[in-house]
Amino acid sequence: MKMNVCVIDDDQIYQLIIRKAVERAGVYDSICFYNDGSEAFEDLLNSKKVLPALILLDINMPQMDGWQFLDGLIKHRPDFDRETTIYIVSSSIAFSDRTKAESYKQVSGFLSKPLSVEKLKEIALKHQK
Amino acid sequence: MSPIKGSKLSISHIFSRPILAGIFSFVFLFLLGCFLLYQRYQIIRESEEREMVGVMDQVEKNLNNSLKDSYSVALSMGLLIDDKGNIKDFDQNAPQLLEQYPVIDVVQMDPGGVIQEVYPLKGNEAVIGYDILKDPKTQKEAYKAIDAKKMYFAGPIDLKQGGTAVVGRLPVFKDNRFWGFSAVIIKLESLIEQAGLKELARDKYLFQFSKIDAITNKERFFIENHLDRDYNVVETIILPDGDWKFYIALKNPKETFYELIPLTFFILLIAAWLSWMVILLFKQPARLQKLVDEQAGELINSELKFRTIFNQAAIGMVRVETPTGKFLETNQRFRELCGYEEEELKNMNFRDLTDPVEVDKNVALMNNLLNGEIREYSLEKKLIQKNGNILWIKLSASPLWKEGFSGNTHIAIIEDITERVLAEDELMRKEKRYRALVENGAEVVTIFSKEGWTLYSSPSGEKLSGYSEAEFKAINLSTLIHPEDSKIFQKQLQFAIQNPKQPVLGDPVRLINKAGEWRWAEYTITNLLEDPNINGIVGNFRDISEKKQAEIHLNSTYQTVMEQNRRLLNFSYIVSHNLRSHSSNIQAILSLYNTSDVEEEKLNYIELLSKVGNALNHTLDDLNEVVSINTNLDLNIEPLQINAFIDKTIDLLQMQIIKKGAIIKRDIPDDMIVKFNAAYLESVFLNFLTNALRYREPVRKLEVSITGYKENGSWVLEIADNGIGIDLKRHRDKVFGLYKTFTQIPNSRGVGLFITRNQIEAMGGSVGVESEVGVGTVFKINFK
């Protein structure tokens, strides 16, 4: 069964690119986008809403950044990590961001942009049931 | 034993027995007094007698006058008898006579001894016809007058008509034949009154009046009183015309005697007192002798004592010839002190033992002693011992002659005070050293009371604070301490008070100096209230202002550096993130491009690439602006009037303000002038006002208040709006961040406030924000 993937990122160009890359990888069922952490948070806050299998989360966003999104979700849906897999995807190469990502047990990994098709395939492979 | 010797002995016997002498003199004096008293008594008696004689003379004279008058009356009446022996004109003449001689009470004519005529008749009628010569009671005296042929006063008799009276009968002879009597009657009371007895007797005398009775030949008394003739009678007179006797006597003959009794007592006292004086006088030689004996004994005793003291005293003693300074006598201790033998010292002079420098001073003092200018002196000097060593001594000299006399020896007492002098020297050196340490140290040493009043302050205190010690004493320590530090200091002080003798190191506090500057001081306080030498809390204060200033400066530099570092980090993060997001996009697009075979798709990628190029350009512009703010060090900074710039900004935004119906309130003083770069100031105001216009609450009219005021000496500008507000709980640390937005409003890029903040901070100011969602936002700019 193919996974569905959700991208939370404010970079419009990146959104186009990732859509192409996901299509190329061909291992995902569907893809959805949120332009900001706050947009995603408001949508996913409702516990009845089924979480996507994979979330690719950006850190730097103007209104609600990746960390705030994570914290909000942990607070409101404590068990969300059973339903979904989260990866931080950032253009940041700052060491502090990588360490911070590792401190969240709900986060499966820290990925640097650009995200290659191969990497997307690998992740799908790793987390497919 | 010869009699002479014996008498001498008896005299000396008396002298040696003062009480006996006293008794003798008492007896002698008392007898003498009594004798004088007796003499006095006699004189008084004599004078009394003289006085009584005088009185009697007067009485006699008065009586004689009365009798003479009687005689005249009797005679005048006799002339009324005519040659035939008849009485003529008795009734006419009798009243005239009685009127003329009031002493006479009644007149009678008795021819042949028979009473014929009486005047006044009234009351005397009974006597008419009475024969005098026949009555045995009267005949004897009547015949006595006839026989003597002269007037004779009979009575006093009890009158037939009542009363007692004397009757003077003048026998009248006609042709040498007895005719009868011409008689006058004087009442006894009238006679006594006429004699002036009552007047003369007063209180002092008693009178008596007597007559030898013609019949009984006995003396009869007529005045009622207790005159005791044996004792009292002093004076008498006898009137032969009537055989009368008058007595006079003192009424109180013992009065004189009584008067003398107090005098007797007085004499007794005088005698007793004088004899007591005699006793004392006689005792004097014995007392003096005793005194002499005692003093002689004491003298011997003190001479002995002096010898003993001199020889065995624990201090040195020398007897010195004052004019020359030669030693006359020395004691054991002195010889020990100087190291010479007694024989050697006999030929020596004080100069031999004295430091030549001190000789003159010594000689001068000795001369003063000699002229009596001073009575003693003492000085501390050096004593040169036989072996040449030096001892410090205290010398006290007193002359051996009495004040006001002259003499030529004195005694000097010498004490070894070497140890004391050395100890004093040492003490003085130490004191000097400590004083120098305290006075010249950078530390202020103070002693103050529990209540904070200064008791002592070292001279360095004035150097450091500007307050003199006297000024310090008038100021309470607590008023010098900065209010913010007062609590810490009080805490330390209380701790010190509870822990006596334990030095307490306090945290630095600020103290104000006389010039009004706050100085940082580090201090140690030690509670020595119980130490009797201190009686206070000792405080050591060190001025560490420079150090503290450096520390504060260092701290602020550190803060600045940290801030810059933080900003740099932030910047580098932004740079890395924002630039890398573009480069990673390029990388991804290229990778997709390379792996694509579809030509149309490849064209899409190229288009995408050009979008990335634009975005990158945009980002680079932003970054450039930020970098230029942070690196442009040569900006022109000038004083700018806030009001002018606000005007300019409002002008620029006039169109928008009108369009959106915004109200702008201003309360900015004209003298609000800050040092700023003009372009930055324009940019800052434009940014804040633009934001206010953009993020307004659509449901209400936008109001912007711009207020300028001074806070802690620096200018502050507040820009408050009633817009949508910012959720500071979520966004506080992102408000001024780059590429941070908190609204859904399009075109919010998250650059304006970042730039604004950088511009303000580049000018040395700071900016803060307070906001509430739905209420509004206040930005507060603190200018440098």
Side-chain angles (χ1 to χ4, degrees), chain B residues 156-367:
Chain B
I157 50 167
D158 299 323
L159 294 173
K160 272 199 162 41
Q161 57 267 45
T164 309
V166 289
V167 184
R169 297 190 181 100
L170 180 70
V172 182
F173 293 89
K174 278 274 174 205
D175 306 326
N176 282 329
R177 265 186 55 211
F178 176 69
W179 174 83
F181 294 111
S182 164
V184 295
I185 296 167
I186 305 170
K187 284 190 177 152
L188 193 61
E189 293 93 67
S190 303
L191 187 73
I192 289 166
E193 195 182 323
Q194 199 63 31
L197 281 183
K198 272 183 187 156
E199 245 172 79
L200 291 166
R202 294 188 307 261
D203 295 342
K204 205 173 173 185
Y205 302 109
L206 290 175
F207 284 97
Q208 189 53 283
F209 176 48
S210 74
K211 181 178 171 92
I212 309 292
D213 198 292
I215 305 156
T216 59
N217 244 351
K218 271 187 182 164
E219 195 172 11
R220 188 180 157 201
F221 294 95
F222 296 93
I223 298 174
E224 287 281 322
N225 63 31
H226 306 284
L227 193 139
D228 181 354
R229 270 165 304 147
D230 293 340
Y231 181 74
N232 288 355
V233 173
V234 181
E235 216 41 59
T236 56
I237 45 170
I238 300 166
L239 288 173
D241 287 350
D243 294 325
W244 294 330
K245 223 175 183 179
F246 275 93
Y247 299 89
I248 184 167
L250 279 172
K251 207 175 193 176
N252 297 307
K254 287 173 186 160
E255 200 174 326
T256 319
F257 180 72
Y258 290 145
E259 268 173 19
L260 290 173
I261 288 174
L263 214 59
T264 318
F265 275 109
F266 179 69
I267 286 166
L268 203 67
L269 281 175
I270 291 280
W273 181 72
L274 282 173
S275 51
W276 176 245
M277 293 311 283
V278 167
I279 292 171
L280 288 184
L281 196 73
F282 278 67
K283 272 184 173 174
Q284 195 68 4
R287 253 179 52 203
L288 287 175
Q289 186 57 44
K290 202 177 161 199
L291 212 64
V292 167
D293 289 350
E294 272 173 16
Q295 284 181 348
E298 267 172 32
L299 206 64
I300 292 164
N301 225 340
S302 48
E303 166 73 12
L304 200 69
K305 274 185 200 157
F306 173 75
R307 273 289 128 215
T308 317
I309 289 166
F310 188 84
N311 286 325
Q312 295 175 12
I315 48 174
M317 282 175 142
V318 220
R319 202 154 64 82
V320 184
E321 197 173 61
T322 315
T324 59
K326 262 182 73 176
F327 295 128
L328 298 175
E329 216 173 339
T330 55
N331 77 345
Q332 180 63 34
R333 176 68 184 143
F334 179 72
R335 294 193 288 274
E336 280 169 21
L337 285 175
C338 65
Y340 289 100
E341 291 304 315
E342 192 170 7
E343 284 312 307
E344 293 175 284
L345 286 166
K346 280 261 160 68
N347 301 315
M348 285 171 73
N349 190 294
F350 86 94
R351 290 178 177 80
D352 302 326
L353 304 179
T354 304
D355 185 336
V357 181
E358 294 179 325
V359 166
D360 286 347
K361 189 167 71 181
N362 253 292
V363 170
L365 283 168
M366 271 156 59
N367 284 337

Side-chain angles (χ1 to χ4, degrees), chain B residues 543-752:
Chain B
D543 188 340
I544 54 156
S545 296
E546 272 70 38
K547 200 169 111 187
K548 192 76 188 175
Q549 216 58 54
E551 192 183 308
I552 290 166
H553 188 69
L554 195 69
N555 205 29
S556 95
T557 310
Y558 172 75
Q559 290 296 333
T560 312
V561 170
M562 282 299 284
E563 177 64 19
Q564 282 175 349
N565 199 30
R566 188 187 62 76
R567 275 157 60 186
L568 270 176
L569 265 174
N570 196 27
F571 188 69
S572 73
Y573 180 82
I574 289 162
V575 168
S576 73
H577 180 267
N578 289 68
L579 293 182
R580 255 194 58 78
S581 68
H582 297 300
S583 70
S584 69
N585 278 347
I586 292 168
Q587 228 178 329
I589 291 165
L590 286 177
S591 148
L592 287 170
Y593 180 87
N594 286 337
T595 55
S596 175
D597 301 324
V598 186
E599 211 49 44
E600 199 183 332
E601 197 184 336
K602 279 188 172 178
L603 267 174
N604 271 339
Y605 288 135
I606 299 299
E607 211 175 301
L608 216 51
L609 263 183
S610 85
K611 274 187 181 171
V612 172
N614 282 335
L616 178 60
N617 209 32
H618 220 112
T619 302
L620 286 174
D621 281 349
D622 291 342
L623 291 179
N624 186 48
E625 196 176 349
V626 172
V627 169
S628 78
I629 293 165
N630 283 304
T631 55
N632 202 341
L633 300 170
D634 302 322
L635 276 173
N636 182 26
I637 297 169
E638 53 194 327
L640 304 172
Q641 197 199 21
I642 297 295
N643 266 329
F645 276 77
I646 295 287
D647 285 344
K648 209 187 246 179
T649 312
I650 289 172
D651 271 353
L652 268 170
L653 297 171
Q654 198 63 45
M655 287 296 290
Q656 282 194 60
I657 290 168
I658 293 166
K659 199 170 132 199
K660 289 169 181 168
I663 299 164
I664 298 189
K665 294 178 182 167
R666 293 166 64 177
D667 180 15
I668 305 162
D670 276 339
D671 65 344
M672 183 171 178
I673 290 167
V674 299
K675 286 186 171 175
F676 222 83
N677 175 271
Y680 281 9
L681 198 59
E682 260 176 65
S683 155
V684 166
F685 289 164
L686 195 61
N687 227 314
F688 280 127
L689 283 178
T690 312
N691 275 351
L693 289 166
R694 181 180 288 167
Y695 302 113
R696 70 188 188 281
E697 182 72 71
V699 296
R700 58 178 175 247
K701 206 168 197 177
L702 173 64
E703 272 187 30
V704 182
S705 307
I706 311 170
T707 319
Y709 58 89
K710 267 203 163 169
E711 192 178 81
N712 297 328
S714 303
W715 285 109
V716 174
L717 192 74
E718 275 185 11
I719 300 158
D721 64 49
N722 60 349
I724 54 170
I726 304 163
D727 183 354
L728 288 179
K729 259 190 214 158
R730 287 171 62 194
H731 302 304
R732 182 174 283 284
D733 54 345
K734 290 195 289 187
V735 173
F736 297 103
L738 184 58
Y739 298 127
K740 303 291 180 188
T741 60
F742 348 97
T743 64
Q744 259 74 26
I745 291 167
N747 300 327
S748 309
R749 292 205 306 120
V751 176

Side-chain angles (χ1 to χ4, degrees), chain B residues 478-493:
Chain B
S478 62
T479 61
L480 295 176
I481 295 173
H482 197 286
E484 288 172 18
D485 302 336
S486 168
K487 221 173 172 180
I488 307 168
F489 182 78
Q490 283 303 328
K491 211 174 131 192
Q492 301 288 2
L493 185 62

Side-chain angles (χ1 to χ4, degrees), chain A:
Chain A
M1 191 190 161
K2 283 182 183 175
M3 294 167 81
N4 58 343
V5 62
C6 181
V7 174
I8 306 172
D9 202 309
D10 61 319
D11 189 339
Q12 302 297 317
I13 294 166
Y14 169 75
Q15 283 186 19
L16 287 174
I17 294 164
I18 201 78
R19 183 189 288 273
K20 281 285 172 201
V22 166
E23 279 169 13
R24 284 269 185 97
V27 288
Y28 295 95
D29 179 32
S30 66
I31 184 162
C32 68
F33 294 99
Y34 295 104
N35 289 320
D36 192 86
S38 56
E39 212 179 297
F41 178 69
E42 274 159 34
D43 200 30
L44 301 178
L45 190 61
N46 189 347
S47 57
K48 281 169 190 161
K49 171 98 183 176
V50 181
L51 290 172
L54 178 69
I55 294 171
L56 301 175
L57 180 63
D58 185 20
I59 297 173
N60 276 293
M61 287 174 286
Q63 291 184 52
M64 180 185 267
D65 66 19
W67 307 125
Q68 284 174 316
F69 169 79
L70 265 180
D71 294 338
L73 213 56
I74 289 167
K75 197 173 167 189
H76 289 93
R77 297 183 71 167
D79 298 327
F80 75 93
D81 56 327
R82 285 189 204 158
E83 300 174 39
T84 184
T85 305
I86 292 179
Y87 276 88
I88 300 285
V89 183
S90 174
S91 57
S92 168
I93 47 166
F95 188 67
S96 61
D97 283 339
R98 188 175 286 270
T99 351
K100 192 167 182 182
E102 281 167 9
S103 72
Y104 284 93
K105 67 176 173 61
Q106 295 87 348
V107 172
S108 302
F110 183 91
L111 305 172
S112 275
K113 288 178 183 173
L115 210 57
S116 62
V117 177
E118 283 70 34
K119 193 76 187 173
L120 283 170
K121 279 182 186 167
E122 195 188 309
I123 291 164
L125 212 66
K126 192 174 170 186
H127 294 283
Q128 241 160 19
K129 284 158 193 170

